[in-house]
Amino acid sequence: MKSVAVSLLGHKDHGKSTLIGRLLVECNAAAKERVEHVRELSKSMGKDFEYAFLLDSFREERADGLTMDSTSAKLSLNGKVIELIDVPGHKELVKNMLTGASRAKYALLVASAKPGEGFQEETRLHVLLARMLGLERVVVAVTKMDMQGYSREVFDGISKSVVDYLLFVGFERSQIKLIPVSAMAGDNIKTKSSSMPWFAGKPVVEEMDSFFDSGEGEAAARRQAPARFLVQDSVDTDEGRAVLGRVEQGTLRKGDEVFFLPENSAGTIGKIMFFGRAADSAGPGENAGLLMDFGRSAFPGKGSVGCRKGEGVNAVEEMQAKLFVLPGFYLDFGKPLRVKNASGESNCRVARVLERIDFIKNTVEKEVRLEKGDSMDFLLAELECEGSAVFEEFAKTPFLGRFVVLQDNQIAAVGTVEKTSSG
Amino acid sequence: MIEQDLNELEEKSVYVIREAKSRYKKVAMLWSTGKDSTTMIQLTRKAFFGKVPFPLIHLDNGLDFPETYEFRERLAKQWDLNVIAEPMPVKAEDANISGISCCGVNKAETLKKLLDREGFDAVIVSIRRDEHGIRSKERYFSPRDKAFKWDYKNQPAEIWDFTSEVEGTSHVRIHPLLHWNEIDVWNYIKREDLPVHPLYFSHDGKRYRSLGCTKCTVGIDSKASTVDEIIEELRNTNTAERAGRAMDKEKENVMQRLRALGYM
């Protein structure tokens, strides 16, 4: 069955968890006891039915009305599965937001129509991060429309600021859809609301159906891309030593000549191994074992990247990358950064900061001289790299184009490679 | 109940299981003999071409069903499994068993002693997000501190496939089945033709949908006596899987307290 992962985005208290809760109830995706339990709990707290409690399970989350950590829930739609990932809006909890959103391909962005709420800083932060994470399409739910008398003017006003910002960070207009909703009152969730006859678009559930449109084309493109095999481990089998790993993109076949970086070990695939079935090829997302003879060269280790001959990767000496510094950390540009991606680690020196975006003050500075990257800075920078990690552009090879910066083995920043050059 | 693509589920889990083995020095897997942890053994066999390279821990309070012991022995032989049956004596005061003292304190303490004694730095556990709201907040790789506590208020970032390490970690819990639903497990059991603990099937109009020990599990009314009938039953149910488990009553936040203490 087809499935997509959709991350909620938006400022705290603008109604992300409430919207998911409502979607679950309308699509009959919440267990009866769970709904009953939430009904009793809401009542005992003197509230109307709190849809958010279907997601917010921690005692503290319910008491404070705030999502602390990411979670997800699934609903099915005409035989297809949508996984809705809830994330905290609060900017101090952005590591939890990234934990959820980094699994998603699409976004449901919530912007509140309630007076005094609107399009705020945490929404801007989430939009910036969504763009960096490579989310492909954004459905914007302008929520709490019932608090504004379902006013078209209010919807148009918020829509304009949201769209302007999405375009500013690099989304195309065709990637954006806007819907006026009330999650509490149930407007434009599963069926079209009669309270907003002026709205010509689809309700949220129908609009999310479009997330499945590009599936086939993308899957084909991924199969035909230059092959990349990420090594996890190796094991001795009855037939010899096998390289274990996942085909991240492209297709590998028996008989292919494959070389592994950074070892530069080459060999021919003698057999592609799966347990309980025979196969002559392995495609994207498949975890295989490769029986190969490397002669005297080193056996590839964890993080090595296998490529077919003629479709290889150049060693990257310089790259342009987006960087976001997590709250509670700062990056000292006087020292090289410990950059880790799927293939390994490199030391990268920040040579130049091309842009700094301040999502709180909502300003962009160009060509800034910085000695450090501050907590929650969003930067576009030039990095000089030395080490074993294999990098490619995020847009071309996502798994080699995304990275984290480590400090004391903790994720201090996240980034994506925009451009590479081999010096 | 939502049914997902079994190939996709399997690939994701195999990746996590292989990652567990390559990342940690000494890995163990918890095996209750139930459907989820038995499915996890099959996924491990897929990952390592028929072999299970970790010992399987069965926390045994001596109050499990006789069928559980019989099933354990049978499968251990059939799949060549290295089983550590760790005794977990139940104290007299727990005779009237409560979730917190037996499943929480007792189970967590027994596991702690075992991990310390054997030096395991990672334990693979078959929890799923759809089982419980608290479990749905989990990570694939989830550290526990020296006191075995789950610091749910400050979980480390898990971005793409990268994880923050946390100081003072005693071991890491790894959850390869986090993204599976109950019905997916049964569809997988059917596809792979896996052995099933007999108490999942209806006997005298009752079956167990979720299996704990004899003290904390209650059967449900059911006529399902084959895997196919169980799948059919789940397609038409709207009650929660663990409705028969004493510790899951959310009202008292029992699950949250249990898990913070180290329960699975």
Side-chain angles (χ1 to χ4, degrees):
Chain A
M1 202 169 295
K2 286 184 195 138
S3 67
V4 293
V6 180
S7 178
L8 272 281
L9 302 175
H11 201 79
K12 61 174 171 282
D13 283 339
H14 283 200
K16 294 179 293 300
S17 307
T18 303
L19 179 57
I20 299 186
R22 185 83 201 201
L23 283 162
L24 295 178
V25 170
E26 298 251 342
C27 297
N28 289 322
K32 194 177 64 192
E33 287 98 343
R34 197 99 182 252
V35 174
E36 270 319 304
H37 171 66
V38 166
R39 195 182 305 284
E40 280 171 34
L41 191 70
S42 309
K43 209 172 145 193
S44 74
M45 293 169 81
K47 297 175 172 205
D48 290 335
F49 188 82
E50 276 287 346
Y51 289 95
F53 286 179
L54 288 167
L55 285 301
D56 290 338
S57 305
F58 289 135
R59 185 169 40 84
E60 296 86 344
E61 292 180 318
R62 290 171 169 176
D64 303 342
L66 142 152
T67 302
M68 280 162 42
D69 211 331
S70 173
T71 181
S72 80
K74 290 160 194 146
L75 56 87
S76 78
L77 190 65
N78 312 322
K80 292 171 278 192
V81 180
I82 296 182
E83 179 185 10
L84 294 162
I85 302 173
D86 196 16
V87 301
H90 199 288
K91 60 180 181 283
E92 298 298 331
L93 296 170
V94 67
K95 73 177 167 62
N96 295 346
M97 175 271 180
L98 284 165
T99 294
S102 67
R103 295 197 291 116
K105 245 177 103 180
Y106 302 98
L108 194 50
L109 174 69
V110 170
S112 165
K114 187 178 170 182
E117 293 190 342
F119 184 59
Q120 291 187 15
E121 63 184 57
E122 282 157 3
T123 311
R124 285 197 293 273
L125 170 64
H126 284 189
V127 167
L128 275 167
L129 294 172
R131 181 65 192 154
M132 183 176 86
L133 296 170
L135 300 194
E136 291 169 15
R137 226 178 286 186
V138 182
V139 169
V140 184
V142 178
T143 54
K144 310 192 190 180
M145 285 298 292
D146 53 318
M147 295 186 170
Q148 290 282 12
Y150 299 105
S151 152
R152 180 174 196 167
E153 286 67 38
V154 171
F155 173 68
D156 288 345
I158 293 170
S159 296
K160 187 174 179 317
S161 28
V162 176
V163 170
D164 285 350
Y165 200 75
L166 283 161
L167 297 178
F168 162 70
V169 306
F171 282 100
E172 306 274 335
R173 186 62 185 83
S174 59
Q175 294 176 294
I176 311 164
K177 282 282 187 330
L178 299 128
I179 309 170
V181 308
S182 166
M184 286 307 265
D187 295 291
N188 284 336
I189 301 294
K190 198 178 176 197
T191 51
K192 277 209 66 165
S193 163
S194 55
S195 307
M196 291 172 276
W198 46 265
F199 176 65
K202 297 173 184 166
V204 176
V205 171
E206 274 180 48
E207 198 57 74
M208 287 197 297
D209 205 31
S210 71
F211 291 156
F212 293 92
D213 292 350
S214 50
E216 297 287 323
E218 266 170 34
R222 214 173 145 218
R223 272 196 303 277
Q224 285 150 18
R228 297 285 181 266
F229 184 82
L230 179 65
V231 177
Q232 279 186 295
D233 204 352
S234 55
V235 288
D236 288 318
T237 72
D238 300 339
E239 296 169 86
R241 194 159 181 75
V243 189
L244 296 188
R246 182 163 70 186
V247 179
E248 298 287 341
Q249 60 178 48
T251 305
L252 284 178
R253 292 181 182 82
K254 186 181 165 183
D256 278 351
E257 214 178 310
V258 177
F259 67 97
F260 288 83
L261 295 169
E263 291 90 350
N264 255 319
S265 301
T268 303
I269 299 177
K271 186 178 177 183
I272 292 182
M273 295 178 72
F274 294 105
F275 178 62
R277 68 183 166 106
D280 284 335
S281 69
E286 290 191 307
N287 294 279
L290 307 179
L291 273 185
M292 298 183 70
D293 182 2
F294 292 99
R296 285 194 190 167
S297 316
F299 212 86
K302 186 173 172 58
S304 289
V305 179
C307 312
R308 206 181 284 118
K309 229 182 161 184
E311 297 177 343
V313 192
N314 291 323
V316 167
E317 287 169 19
E318 281 173 29
M319 62 189 189
Q320 213 178 79
K322 285 181 183 169
L323 272 175
F324 173 71
V325 188
L326 292 181
F329 293 91
Y330 75 91
L331 306 178
D332 180 355
F333 293 160
K335 289 185 255 174
L337 307 177
R338 228 181 109 199
V339 170
K340 180 184 177 166
N341 80 350
S343 70
E345 281 189 29
S346 283
N347 286 322
C348 298
R349 204 179 63 80
V350 175
R352 206 149 71 103
V353 176
L354 303 170
E355 267 182 29
R356 173 163 70 170
I357 300 177
D358 184 325
F359 68 90
I360 297 172
K361 285 188 248 151
N362 202 14
T363 55
V364 185
E365 297 166 85
K366 304 257 182 193
E367 292 289 344
V368 242
R369 286 194 154 282
L370 292 179
E371 283 169 10
K372 62 184 175 100
D374 265 322
S375 164
M376 289 198 259
D377 267 353
F378 195 94
L379 309 170
L380 180 66
E382 269 180 18
L383 306 179
E384 294 168 358
C385 303
E386 234 174 84
S388 66
V390 180
F391 293 104
E392 285 191 276
E393 286 165 21
F394 180 66
K396 208 169 89 190
T397 313
F399 90 103
L400 290 177
R402 55 199 188 199
F403 60 82
V404 293
V405 178
L406 296 178
Q407 276 174 9
D408 300 328
N409 294 324
Q410 295 215 44
I411 299 176
V414 293
T416 52
V417 180
E418 299 299 298
K419 275 186 214 157
T420 61
S421 60
S422 353
Chain B
M1 198 174 283
I2 291 164
E3 296 171 58
Q4 307 181 82
D5 184 288
L6 297 180
N7 288 332
E8 274 180 34
L9 297 177
E10 179 185 78
E11 295 295 354
K12 171 88 202 176
S13 301
V14 167
Y15 179 85
V16 173
I17 291 168
R18 284 180 173 176
E19 195 64 17
K21 180 173 169 288
S22 69
R23 232 191 250 189
Y24 298 96
K25 285 191 216 77
K26 202 168 171 194
V27 183
M29 191 176 255
L30 288 193
W31 183 36
S32 69
T33 74
K35 65 188 193 309
D36 304 297
S37 50
T38 304
T39 292
M40 204 159 64
I41 300 179
Q42 173 70 354
L43 291 163
T44 307
R45 296 171 77 232
K46 293 249 171 163
F48 303 106
F49 312 111
K51 295 198 175 74
V52 179
F54 332 106
L56 302 166
I57 299 173
H58 178 220
L59 295 175
D60 180 6
N61 67 359
L63 295 171
D64 272 331
F65 298 96
E67 290 89 341
T68 298
Y69 300 107
E70 189 276 326
F71 184 76
R72 184 182 82 191
E73 296 313 309
R74 180 158 60 90
L75 210 62
K77 215 165 168 187
Q78 189 182 331
W79 281 352
D80 191 21
L81 308 173
N82 171 14
V83 179
I84 302 176
E86 188 68 7
M88 182 178 81
V90 177
K91 300 177 195 90
E93 61 267 31
D94 289 340
N96 189 5
I97 247 153
S98 77
I100 290 281
S101 68
C102 181
C103 275
V105 179
N106 201 7
K107 217 170 201 175
E109 271 179 10
T110 307
L111 183 62
K112 184 173 187 323
K113 276 185 204 144
L114 171 64
L115 299 193
D116 288 347
R117 189 182 75 217
E118 303 281 337
F120 291 113
D121 60 345
V123 182
I124 307 180
V125 185
S126 60
I127 62 163
R128 308 188 324 267
R129 283 200 190 98
D130 78 323
E131 283 178 286
H132 198 283
I134 299 296
R135 284 182 172 171
S136 80
K137 295 274 178 181
E138 265 289 3
R139 305 277 199 257
Y140 284 98
F141 293 85
S142 177
R144 293 294 181 275
D145 70 9
K146 298 280 185 234
F148 254 51
K149 292 220 165 65
W150 178 40
D151 188 4
Y152 62 88
K153 288 186 189 168
N154 188 24
Q155 297 198 68
E158 190 165 279
I159 301 170
W160 295 307
D161 287 325
F162 311 111
T163 322
S164 280
E165 280 175 32
V166 178
E167 254 181 79
T169 297
S170 64
H171 71 285
V172 175
R173 298 272 174 90
I174 300 159
H175 304 129
L177 291 189
L178 211 51
H179 52 295
W180 291 57
N181 289 339
E182 181 187 12
I183 196 164
D184 299 325
V185 172
W186 285 106
N187 279 327
Y188 193 75
I189 287 171
K190 180 183 159 151
R191 187 184 90 173
E192 302 286 317
D193 196 17
L194 299 182
V196 180
H197 190 302
L199 292 181
Y200 283 110
F201 299 118
S202 174
H203 190 76
D204 295 335
K206 289 256 182 205
R207 76 172 192 93
Y208 291 90
R209 194 168 154 194
S210 171
L211 268 178
C213 76
T214 48
K215 297 286 175 189
C216 72
T217 333
V218 193
I220 59 160
D221 292 329
S222 167
K223 289 195 181 82
S225 57
T226 63
V227 173
D228 278 320
E229 285 169 11
I230 289 176
I231 292 169
E232 211 38 51
E233 179 187 279
L234 293 178
R235 281 185 180 141
N236 298 307
T237 186
N238 195 22
T239 51
E241 173 183 7
R242 293 173 62 94
R245 297 291 282 263
M247 72 285 256
D248 280 30
K249 303 302 172 209
E250 288 193 61
K251 240 173 272 176
E252 305 85 20
N253 295 304
V254 171
M255 188 58 131
Q256 179 171 349
R257 285 158 59 205
L258 274 172
R259 298 209 80 244
L261 290 172
Y263 176 68
M264 280 55 76

